[in-house]
Amino acid sequence: MALVCSISHEVPEHPVVSPSSNHVFEKRLIEKYIAENGVDPISQEPLTVEQLIDIKVSPLVKPRPPTATSIPAILKILQDEWDACMLHSFTLRQQLQTARQELSHALYQHDAACRVVARLTKEVTAAREALATLKPHAVPGMAPIPGALPPGAAAQPPVPEPMEAAEGGPAGMTDEIIQKLQEKANLLTAERKKRGKNVPKELLPSDDIRVFKPKASHPGLHSSSIPGILSLDLQAADTNKVLTGGADKNAVVFNKESEQVIAVLKGHTKKVTNVIYHPTEDVVFTSSPDTTIRIWIVANASCTQTINAHDAPVTGLSLHATGDYLLSCSEDKHWAFSDIATGRVLTKVADESVSSALTCAQFHPDGLIFGTGTDDSIIKIWNLKERTNVANFPGHSGPITALAFSENGYYLATAADDAVIKLWDLRKLKNFKNISLDDRYEVKSLTFDQSGTYLAVAGSDVRVYLCKQWQDLCIFSDHTDIATGVRFGNHASFLASTGMDRNLKFFGL
């Protein structure tokens, strides 16, 4: 039975009993009454606070007042409790977001600290090795100065000399070249941040890409006796200029607008597997299993330089963003960086961590890093200035057949003989999306458009994906044999593809 205060007639929170009247009171109320009157409110006999006796009872839930039993009052109570719950949830989300940001910042600082420590360790080791190779110059009549070499310096293993130091070897990357690469990268990064805020107005929308149709087909560019076009590129400044490499050992420059062959480049002794059109000049680059890389002037179809950077078939070719240097890779397990003005190899690096050939290579849009694919399914990311392997992306099965960096600088698309296209986030160094293709689908070429909005794939067919959503917009099965190359026209206004059926095809509105 609940106790009731004799003054307020409500259940007391702190009940006490008066020894004078034996009535129960709320302690707060009776103390106030005694302070004002000095008597028991029931018996009117003298009473002091000290005489009150505390009653120990179990906590009781006060009944709701009658006003809280109506439907509107109940709804208001429920609404208040819901609002309090949502506010608590919002507060927890804010705290979680803050904790995530703090953790991200801490991880970034930790990563930066690790890089600094690694660089300092490398510099210290190099300094010790340099000291170890010095010979103390003794003055006649004087003993050698103790402590001239640090303790244990002589026991340090020698630092391997870079290949460019060898007589007759690569010329070497000078400080001027490295500074030039860095300045170009800084400029491109700044431009990309400006462009990244808005999609170019001239870019063809995805709804138009969906309705692309075959517009033209040109089967007569290469020899019919040895059929097959193996590679394709367009000039960035004028995408009407098309470059193809064929199994007939020739490269062909073709004008899409006039539908005329501009030049036939002859000189390789084996098929032409990689071609690049200089983005602003009428200069093209080709490579072949004959181990050579050739630089051509389109105007007179002449070879101006032959770069002998490799001892085995050249499998990958990429032009640096400056337009002055070439990256190449080969079955000899080396990648090389060459100056196109002189035809000299500036540096050549062996990937000692793998026992298989390199299958493809591609520069990042900034030009300070690049990726290579290997025959044993690994994608490797390299730092050009340091000439070091900075990240590896495993996960494919089969030789890597193609890779492409997005113009936004964040995404890398890769393909292998496993019918899967993998998308990698270079900021987090992880695979964030897999596009599974049909069983036994062969991917031979990947390319992003100049804005990084679309990804095109050439292989068992030709198809285009919308980036971020990664949904396919169109699929073309017009080639009668495997498609080997695909490129976007200016602002994705058309799509060009080549195949082993000896056809150069264009798709558009």
Side-chain angles (χ1 to χ4, degrees), residues 132-410:
T133 58
L134 292 177
K135 295 181 180 180
H137 297 279
V139 179
M142 292 185 62
I145 302 174
L149 296 179
Q156 295 288 337
V159 177
E161 291 293 332
M163 289 191 64
E164 53 265 31
E167 183 178 355
M173 291 179 64
T174 63
D175 292 339
E176 289 78 10
I177 293 175
I178 293 176
Q179 182 179 359
K180 181 178 179 180
L181 300 180
Q182 185 65 59
E183 290 174 353
K184 184 65 174 180
N186 294 340
L187 177 63
L188 291 173
T189 301
E191 291 178 352
R192 181 179 300 106
K193 289 181 179 178
K194 293 179 183 178
R195 292 197 307 268
K197 296 178 182 179
N198 299 301
V199 176
K201 295 180 181 179
E202 302 86 352
L203 183 69
L204 210 63
S206 58
D207 289 340
D208 289 346
I209 302 286
R210 292 180 193 275
V211 296
F212 268 12
K213 296 179 180 179
K215 304 299 290 185
S217 181
H218 302 279
L221 303 184
H222 291 268
S223 171
S224 59
S225 60
I226 311 176
I229 301 178
L230 305 177
S231 49
L232 167 70
D233 198 22
L234 308 182
Q235 188 187 48
D238 181 4
T239 52
N240 285 316
K241 296 179 179 179
V242 184
L243 174 64
T244 61
D248 59 357
K249 310 175 189 177
N250 297 335
V252 173
V253 181
F254 178 79
N255 189 293
K256 171 182 176 290
E257 191 172 16
S258 65
E259 298 188 346
Q260 297 294 322
V261 173
I262 300 174
V264 178
L265 312 177
K266 299 182 178 181
H268 283 291
T269 58
K270 293 185 178 180
K271 57 188 178 181
V272 179
T273 51
N274 295 282
V275 295
I276 297 175
Y277 211 127
H278 195 285
T280 57
E281 302 174 10
D282 270 340
V283 177
V284 300
F285 312 93
T286 61
S287 68
S288 167
D290 65 8
T291 74
T292 65
I293 301 165
R294 291 177 179 265
I295 304 173
W296 308 81
I297 301 296
V298 175
N300 54 15
S302 62
C303 176
T304 59
Q305 300 282 357
T306 300
I307 302 175
N308 296 291
H310 299 284
D311 303 321
V314 180
T315 54
L317 201 61
S318 182
L319 183 65
H320 190 268
T322 57
D324 297 330
Y325 306 101
L326 272 177
L327 169 71
S328 58
C329 67
S330 168
E331 291 182 8
D332 63 7
K333 307 173 190 175
H334 287 76
W335 60 262
F337 184 69
S338 307
D339 186 340
I340 65 175
T342 62
R344 297 194 66 184
V345 178
L346 300 179
T347 187
K348 183 178 177 182
V349 176
D351 188 357
E352 302 292 350
S353 63
V354 298
S355 58
S356 56
L358 301 182
T359 57
C360 52
Q362 183 68 43
F363 268 121
H364 183 272
D366 288 344
L368 289 185
I369 63 172
F370 62 89
T372 59
T374 66
D375 207 33
D376 58 357
S377 314
I378 303 295
I379 298 99
K380 291 178 171 286
I381 306 299
W382 296 81
N383 182 315
L384 178 60
K385 293 195 299 182
E386 301 292 334
R387 286 155 284 176
T388 54
N389 177 209
V390 294
N392 292 328
F393 294 151
H396 279 293
S397 59
I400 305 300
T401 57
L403 54 85
F405 288 94
S406 171
E407 179 58 30
N408 65 14
Y410 303 145

Side-chain angles (χ1 to χ4, degrees), residues 74-151:
I74 293 173
L75 292 175
K76 183 178 183 306
I77 292 170
L78 291 174
Q79 183 64 46
D80 291 343
E81 291 180 353
W82 172 260
D83 291 343
C85 180
M86 290 299 99
L87 179 61
H88 181 64
S89 176
F90 175 73
T91 304
L92 289 178
R93 286 179 179 273
Q94 279 189 321
Q95 292 175 350
L96 175 61
Q97 184 64 23
T98 302
R100 281 180 173 174
Q101 290 177 348
E102 292 175 352
L103 177 60
S104 176
H105 184 66
L107 290 174
Y108 176 80
Q109 288 182 323
H110 177 266
D111 181 65
C114 290
R115 291 176 182 272
V116 171
V117 169
R119 180 174 57 82
L120 292 176
T121 303
K122 183 178 178 181
E123 291 177 357
V124 168
T125 302
R128 284 179 175 172
E129 296 302 332
L131 289 173
T133 58
L134 292 177
K135 295 181 180 180
H137 297 279
V139 179
M142 292 185 62
I145 302 174
L149 296 179

Side-chain angles (χ1 to χ4, degrees), residues 209-210 212 419-421 435-449 454-467 470-479 483-488 495-498 507:
I209 302 286
R210 292 180 193 275
F212 268 12
V420 176
I421 299 172
I435 301 176
S436 297
L437 304 171
D438 301 334
D439 188 30
R440 295 185 180 179
Y441 189 103
E442 295 183 54
V443 178
K444 295 298 183 182
S445 178
L446 295 171
T447 186
F448 288 90
D449 76 295
Y454 306 115
L455 171 66
V457 182
S460 299
D461 54 32
V462 178
R463 55 183 65 190
V464 178
Y465 290 90
L466 178 63
C467 297
W470 306 112
Q471 56 178 288
D472 57 308
L473 299 178
C474 54
I475 299 176
F476 302 106
S477 302
D478 297 79
H479 285 285
T484 55
V486 62
R487 291 292 184 272
F488 285 99
L495 195 69
S497 70
T498 53
F507 305 90

